[in-house]
Amino acid sequence: MNKEAIFHKMDKEYAYAISDNTFLIKLRCKKNDLKEVKLYYCDKYLRKYNKSIGKLYNKQMSKVFSDELYDYYEVELKVDVICLRYFFKLVDNNDNICYYGNYR
């Protein structure tokens, strides 16, 4: 897995609302490097203060575009949250797993 090529930034280019309760999340990685990308997400405040109702969800991301160097994955989330917290689970072609996110 080429970790140097993995890129995501929590800003308007890679994570943004497309309607009131729908978010679009994107991730870039080296071309043909990953066989699975999954997004794990939760409401930051519910998870922190009450894990019994602040569930951690996951959703498969789809490869939507490729260029000469990179593959681009994205997923739409229909959620009603105060603050969305998320991370990625990446699986390469050799079944190596990497978790990628901004927090820990």
Side-chain angles (χ1 to χ4, degrees), residues 7-67:
F7 181 76
H8 171 80
K9 192 161 90 172
M10 291 191 312
D11 73 356
K12 62 185 179 227
E13 189 177 348
Y14 280 84
Y16 53 90
I18 55 177
S19 69
D20 285 345
N21 294 323
T22 306
F23 293 89
L24 185 67
I25 310 291
K26 299 179 181 184
L27 177 90
R28 184 195 77 193
C29 63
K30 182 182 175 195
K31 187 172 184 159
N32 298 322
D33 196 33
L34 302 178
K35 72 176 183 181
E36 181 181 29
V37 178
K38 212 176 250 193
L39 181 78
Y40 286 79
Y41 61 97
C42 66
D43 184 306
K44 173 184 174 180
Y45 296 110
L46 289 179
R47 182 100 177 132
K48 182 175 182 179
Y49 296 111
N50 190 345
K51 289 187 181 179
S52 64
I53 61 171
K55 295 183 171 107
L56 183 64
Y57 300 97
N58 68 75
K59 194 164 182 185
Q60 192 74 34
M61 296 185 73
S62 300
K63 187 190 308 185
V64 295
F65 183 75
S66 295
D67 60 22

